[in-house]
Amino acid sequence: MTAADLKNGFLETLANLGDVGGLAPAEARGLFKAMKSNHVYHPFVAVADDGQIIGATTLLVEQKFIHSGGLVGHIEDVVVRKGHEGRGVGGSVVKAAVDKGREIGCYKVILDCRPELVDFYKKLGFREHEVGMRIDLARPSPSGARTRR
Ligand SMILES: CC(C)(COP(=O)(O)OP(=O)(O)OC[C@H]1O[C@@H](n2cnc3c(N)ncnc32)[C@H](O)[C@@H]1OP(=O)(O)O)[C@@H](O)C(=O)NCCC(=O)NCCS
């Protein structure tokens, strides 16, 4: 993914995830810059023949203390632009993220998904494993108060 992709339908593609909110192009550029300067994030896009972005995902790479300091890839925000589903686009961005995880040296790549998407990921070689858990937290205030870890 490059910064230019942000202008070629990337935000319109993300909208199919349902929670893009009012993300403005300038905000998206700032977020992309922060992501690119952090070697943990690897965003991918699928590009149609006309240059429009029609699919996207992100691979996050986690450094473990356990497993001899091994690396784990986490796939997030897999999405295909409305009207372009069912043509292999989703599968191709997931495969690209898994390939990147392999190239980096991850010993596994994992993701959470809704139950109805289990078969989609099984077709791409994933198997069901453990259960996703979640706790909802208040968004941090703009003043940026932080807690020491
Ligand atoms: C789910 C989503 C990413 C699938 O992408 P896609 O481009 O439509 O899927 P593909 O065309 O690559 O499908 C690959 C295979 O999975 C199957 N598949 C696709 N969606 C499926 C679903 N919801 N359930 C079961 N199988 C599915 C396809 O039939 C295809 O099978 P085949 O290889 O035997 O023909 C896309 O529909 C989407 O963006 N949905 C909205 C956002 C979303 O839910 N994201 C997932 C977050 S975890």
Side-chain angles (χ1 to χ4, degrees), residues 16-17 78-80 84-92 112-114 116-117 119-121 123:
N16 205 15
L17 272 175
V78 177
V79 65
V80 172
H84 296 266
E85 300 96 333
R87 290 161 41 191
V89 176
S92 71
D112 289 331
C113 72
R114 298 192 306 277
E116 63 267 29
L117 289 174
D119 286 345
F120 167 67
Y121 289 110
K123 283 183 174 170

Side-chain angles (χ1 to χ4, degrees), residues 17-50:
L17 272 175
D19 62 351
V20 181
L23 184 65
E27 285 176 285
R29 280 196 297 278
L31 293 170
F32 181 66
K33 204 171 158 196
M35 208 181 266
K36 288 299 273 185
S37 66
N38 186 335
H39 70 277
V40 168
Y41 290 88
H42 300 275
F44 294 90
V45 288
V47 188
D49 289 342
D50 63 359

Side-chain angles (χ1 to χ4, degrees), residues 116-145:
E116 63 267 29
L117 289 174
V118 165
D119 286 345
F120 167 67
Y121 289 110
K122 277 187 175 172
K123 283 183 174 170
L124 294 166
F126 288 80
R127 61 185 165 85
E128 285 184 72
H129 179 67
E130 300 180 341
V131 175
M133 302 289 286
R134 163 176 173 154
I135 185 166
D136 293 311
L137 307 174
R139 282 177 175 267
S141 69
S143 67

Side-chain angles (χ1 to χ4, degrees), residues 1-3 5-6 10 14 28 31-46 53 55-61 74-77 93 96-97 100 104:
M1 180 171 173
T2 68
D5 293 328
L6 294 169
F10 178 70
L14 277 193
L31 293 170
F32 181 66
K33 204 171 158 196
M35 208 181 266
K36 288 299 273 185
S37 66
N38 186 335
H39 70 277
V40 168
Y41 290 88
H42 300 275
F44 294 90
V45 288
I53 304 306
T57 190
T58 302
L59 176 77
L60 281 103
V61 180
H74 298 258
I75 289 181
E76 287 288 336
D77 295 345
V93 290
K100 185 70 179 179
I104 290 170

